[in-house]
Amino acid sequence: MATNVNAEALKESPIPDAIEKHAASKQTVDPYNVQGEVGEDGVVKAIDYNKLIEEFGTKKIDQALLDRLERVTGKKPHRFLRRGIVFSHRDLELILDRYEKGEPFYLYTGRGPSSDSVHVGHTIPFEFTKWLQDTFDVPLVIMMTDDEKYLFSDKRTIEEVEGYCSNNAKDIIAVGFDPNKTFIFSDFQYMGGAFYKNVVRLSKHITLNQARAIFGFNDSTNIGRIHFGSIQGASSWASSFPHIFGEDESKTVAIPCLIPCAIDQDPYFRMTRDVSARLKYKNSNISYAKPALIHSRFLDALQGPGTKMSASVDESAIFMRDTPNQIKNKINKYAFSGGKVTVEEHREKGGDTNVDVAFQYLRFFLEDDEELEKIRVAYESGDMLTGDLKAICIKELQTYVAAFQERRAKVDDEAVKLFMTTRPLKWNGNPRAPIVVPQVQNADGEAAAEGGDGKLTKNQLKKLEKQKQIEAKKAQKAKEKEEKDKAAAQP
C-alpha cells in the first residue's frame, strides 16, 4: 500500500517516511494498550471492531436499535451512531426501556488527566456524551482519574496530575455541558463517604487472579494499579452520589448508568457488571444495577490505521490548542493517505478511504452525510486527489478546533469550581413520562429532583395543573377566534 500521492500537491503533502515495521502479533485492545494486528509483513493493520464485539461479548448497534432510539427520543441519531463510529453496546435497550417509563438513570464518563491539552480524539466521547445528555435530559458525572495517572506513570508527580486535572476540566466544560445537570469530580478530592464505601464494597469481590486475567497485571505491578479498577467501577453505582440521587440506598442501588466510552475501557465495567450481578442490598432482593455501556471506535493517529492518538506524541495528533497553520502542516505532512503513488495511477484506480486518515477524520467531524458520500465517491473513483481531500479535512478541523478554542477561552476557575462543587443537580428526563427519581433537598430545602415512589409529587401536580390551564386558555382563544371569523363572514 502506498503512503501518499498527489504529485500536484507534493510540496504541501510530501510522501511520509517508510511505514514502520513491527514483529508479527495479534490485535491488542485493553485500557493500557491499543494496537492493530501486525501481519507477517510487519505492517500494522486497522483495528477489527467486529472481532472486538465477539471477543468482549458486546452487541453491535444495528439499524433496528437506531430506529428505536429515534422513535423513543424523537431525535435523529448522532452522526457517530449513523456512521458506526459508536458501534457497540451493553444493555442500551434497557436504558431505552427506563427512559420510556420515566425511570431514572444517569450518564457516567471520565478523563485521565495526562497533559496540558486534550487532542481531537479525546473530544469524541465527550461530544457524544453531550448529545446523550441533551437528548435524554439526565444527570451526568465525569470522573477525573488523577489517581490513575499517578499510579500508572513512573515519572508523574501527584502535583503534576493535579495541575493537568484543572486544565482538562476546563477542556471538558468547553464541550458545552449543562452545569445544572453535570458533576465533575477528582478522585483525589471526592474520595470518601458513600463513594469510598462502594469502592471497598466492589474491591472485596475482585480477586488478584481476576485482576491479572482481566488487565494483565504481574508480580511487579504496584497494588495501587491493581486496586484502581474498583475505583473506576464504583462510579457506575448511583449510591456513590447521594447529593444527586439521595441517601436511600434501597432505591439508589437500583439506578443504572449509561457509560459512553472507547471500547478499550470495557474491561473495567465487565468486571463491575459481574460484581453487580452478585451483590444484593443488605441481603435483600434488591440487586445492584449493572452499568450499561455504549462503545466508540478510536480516532486513528495521523500515522494511520491500527494506531491511536497519543497525548505524549505531538506528531500523532491534532491538539485542541493547535493553530490553523499547525493543523494544516500536520495533516499535509503526517496524515497517512489511501491514494496511489502517481497521479495517473490514482486517476485510474482511485483511493482507499478505509485507510485514508483525512477521510476517516471527515467521518468523525463532517456533519453532512450527503457531502461525505460525495467525497467518498470522488476519491474512490480517482476524481479527487489526495491534496484536495486533505484540504477539505484541514478546513473542517480548523473550524472544529477554532470553535472549541473560542468556548475554552470563556471557561475560568469559577466555572471549574461550579462544576466540581458537590451539590444537587436538576434534570427533567423524558417529557412524555413522569419523573421517578429519589428526592434530594437543596440548600433552600426545595426538592432538586422529584419523588421516587412512582407517584406524582405536589410540584409535578402543580405543573400539570398549570399546563392544563394553559391548554384551556389556548382552546378558549381558538374558539373565540373561530366564532369571530364566522361572524365576519356573515353578510
Short mmCIF file of all heavy atoms in Angstrom, two decimals, residues 63-77 96 131 432:
data_model
loop_
_atom_site.label_atom_id
_atom_site.label_comp_id
_atom_site.label_asym_id
_atom_site.label_seq_id
_atom_site.Cartn_x
_atom_site.Cartn_y
_atom_site.Cartn_z
N GLN A 63 -29.44 -1.31 12.85
CA GLN A 63 -30.39 -0.30 12.39
C GLN A 63 -31.67 -0.33 13.20
O GLN A 63 -32.29 0.71 13.45
CB GLN A 63 -30.71 -0.51 10.90
CG GLN A 63 -31.51 0.62 10.29
CD GLN A 63 -30.83 1.96 10.41
OE1 GLN A 63 -29.64 2.09 10.12
NE2 GLN A 63 -31.57 2.98 10.86
N ALA A 64 -32.09 -1.53 13.63
CA ALA A 64 -33.32 -1.64 14.43
C ALA A 64 -33.18 -0.86 15.74
O ALA A 64 -34.13 -0.19 16.17
CB ALA A 64 -33.63 -3.11 14.72
N LEU A 65 -32.00 -0.93 16.37
CA LEU A 65 -31.79 -0.20 17.62
C LEU A 65 -31.73 1.30 17.36
O LEU A 65 -32.26 2.10 18.16
CB LEU A 65 -30.50 -0.68 18.29
CG LEU A 65 -30.21 -0.14 19.68
CD1 LEU A 65 -31.36 -0.42 20.64
CD2 LEU A 65 -28.92 -0.74 20.24
N LEU A 66 -31.11 1.70 16.25
CA LEU A 66 -31.07 3.12 15.91
C LEU A 66 -32.47 3.66 15.65
O LEU A 66 -32.81 4.78 16.07
CB LEU A 66 -30.20 3.34 14.67
CG LEU A 66 -28.69 3.12 14.83
CD1 LEU A 66 -27.98 3.38 13.52
CD2 LEU A 66 -28.12 4.00 15.92
N ASP A 67 -33.30 2.85 14.97
CA ASP A 67 -34.68 3.27 14.70
C ASP A 67 -35.45 3.43 16.01
O ASP A 67 -36.22 4.38 16.17
CB ASP A 67 -35.38 2.24 13.82
CG ASP A 67 -34.83 2.21 12.40
OD1 ASP A 67 -34.15 3.19 12.01
OD2 ASP A 67 -35.05 1.22 11.69
N ARG A 68 -35.22 2.51 16.94
CA ARG A 68 -35.91 2.61 18.23
C ARG A 68 -35.44 3.84 19.01
O ARG A 68 -36.25 4.56 19.61
CB ARG A 68 -35.68 1.35 19.07
CG ARG A 68 -36.54 1.39 20.33
CD ARG A 68 -36.23 0.30 21.31
NE ARG A 68 -37.03 0.52 22.52
CZ ARG A 68 -36.75 0.00 23.70
NH1 ARG A 68 -35.72 -0.80 23.85
NH2 ARG A 68 -37.51 0.27 24.74
N LEU A 69 -34.15 4.09 18.98
CA LEU A 69 -33.61 5.27 19.66
C LEU A 69 -34.25 6.55 19.13
O LEU A 69 -34.65 7.43 19.91
CB LEU A 69 -32.09 5.32 19.47
CG LEU A 69 -31.35 6.53 20.06
CD1 LEU A 69 -31.45 6.53 21.57
CD2 LEU A 69 -29.89 6.53 19.62
N GLU A 70 -34.38 6.64 17.81
CA GLU A 70 -35.00 7.83 17.22
C GLU A 70 -36.48 7.91 17.57
O GLU A 70 -37.01 8.99 17.86
CB GLU A 70 -34.82 7.80 15.70
CG GLU A 70 -35.35 9.05 15.01
CD GLU A 70 -34.94 9.14 13.56
OE1 GLU A 70 -34.31 8.18 13.05
OE2 GLU A 70 -35.24 10.17 12.93
N ARG A 71 -37.14 6.76 17.58
CA ARG A 71 -38.57 6.73 17.90
C ARG A 71 -38.83 7.13 19.35
O ARG A 71 -39.74 7.90 19.65
CB ARG A 71 -39.11 5.33 17.64
CG ARG A 71 -40.61 5.19 17.78
CD ARG A 71 -41.08 3.85 17.26
NE ARG A 71 -40.53 2.72 18.00
CZ ARG A 71 -39.59 1.90 17.53
NH1 ARG A 71 -39.11 2.08 16.30
NH2 ARG A 71 -39.14 0.89 18.26
N VAL A 72 -37.99 6.65 20.25
CA VAL A 72 -38.17 6.89 21.68
C VAL A 72 -37.83 8.33 22.05
O VAL A 72 -38.52 8.96 22.86
CB VAL A 72 -37.31 5.91 22.51
CG1 VAL A 72 -37.25 6.32 23.97
CG2 VAL A 72 -37.88 4.50 22.40
N THR A 73 -36.75 8.87 21.47
CA THR A 73 -36.28 10.21 21.84
C THR A 73 -36.83 11.31 20.95
O THR A 73 -36.82 12.48 21.34
CB THR A 73 -34.74 10.27 21.79
OG1 THR A 73 -34.30 10.08 20.44
CG2 THR A 73 -34.12 9.22 22.68
N GLY A 74 -37.28 10.94 19.75
CA GLY A 74 -37.75 11.95 18.81
C GLY A 74 -36.62 12.71 18.15
O GLY A 74 -36.85 13.75 17.53
N LYS A 75 -35.38 12.22 18.27
CA LYS A 75 -34.23 12.90 17.68
C LYS A 75 -33.48 11.97 16.73
O LYS A 75 -33.36 10.78 16.96
CB LYS A 75 -33.27 13.38 18.78
CG LYS A 75 -33.81 14.51 19.62
CD LYS A 75 -32.72 15.11 20.49
CE LYS A 75 -33.22 16.31 21.27
NZ LYS A 75 -32.15 16.94 22.09
N LYS A 76 -32.97 12.57 15.66
CA LYS A 76 -32.14 11.84 14.70
C LYS A 76 -30.86 11.38 15.39
O LYS A 76 -30.24 12.17 16.10
CB LYS A 76 -31.81 12.75 13.51
CG LYS A 76 -30.96 12.12 12.43
CD LYS A 76 -30.69 13.14 11.33
CE LYS A 76 -29.81 12.56 10.23
NZ LYS A 76 -29.54 13.56 9.17
N PRO A 77 -30.45 10.14 15.21
CA PRO A 77 -29.22 9.67 15.86
C PRO A 77 -28.01 10.53 15.48
O PRO A 77 -27.92 11.03 14.36
CB PRO A 77 -29.08 8.24 15.33
CG PRO A 77 -30.47 7.81 15.02
CD PRO A 77 -31.14 9.05 14.50
N LEU A 96 -33.18 2.41 27.23
CA LEU A 96 -34.32 2.96 26.49
C LEU A 96 -35.64 2.56 27.14
O LEU A 96 -36.59 3.36 27.15
CB LEU A 96 -34.28 2.49 25.04
CG LEU A 96 -33.11 3.01 24.19
CD1 LEU A 96 -33.17 2.45 22.78
CD2 LEU A 96 -33.09 4.53 24.16
N TRP A 131 -24.33 15.01 23.56
CA TRP A 131 -25.54 14.73 22.77
C TRP A 131 -26.49 13.84 23.57
O TRP A 131 -27.70 14.06 23.58
CB TRP A 131 -25.15 14.05 21.45
CG TRP A 131 -26.33 13.75 20.58
CD1 TRP A 131 -26.96 14.60 19.71
CD2 TRP A 131 -27.04 12.51 20.51
NE1 TRP A 131 -28.00 13.96 19.09
CE2 TRP A 131 -28.09 12.68 19.56
CE3 TRP A 131 -26.90 11.28 21.14
CZ2 TRP A 131 -28.98 11.65 19.24
CZ3 TRP A 131 -27.79 10.26 20.82
CH2 TRP A 131 -28.82 10.45 19.88
N ARG A 432 -42.35 12.98 28.12
CA ARG A 432 -43.61 12.25 27.90
C ARG A 432 -43.89 11.23 28.98
O ARG A 432 -44.82 10.43 28.87
CB ARG A 432 -43.57 11.56 26.53
CG ARG A 432 -43.51 12.53 25.36
CD ARG A 432 -43.46 11.80 24.04
NE ARG A 432 -42.22 11.07 23.85
CZ ARG A 432 -41.08 11.62 23.45
NH1 ARG A 432 -41.03 12.92 23.19
NH2 ARG A 432 -40.01 10.89 23.29
#
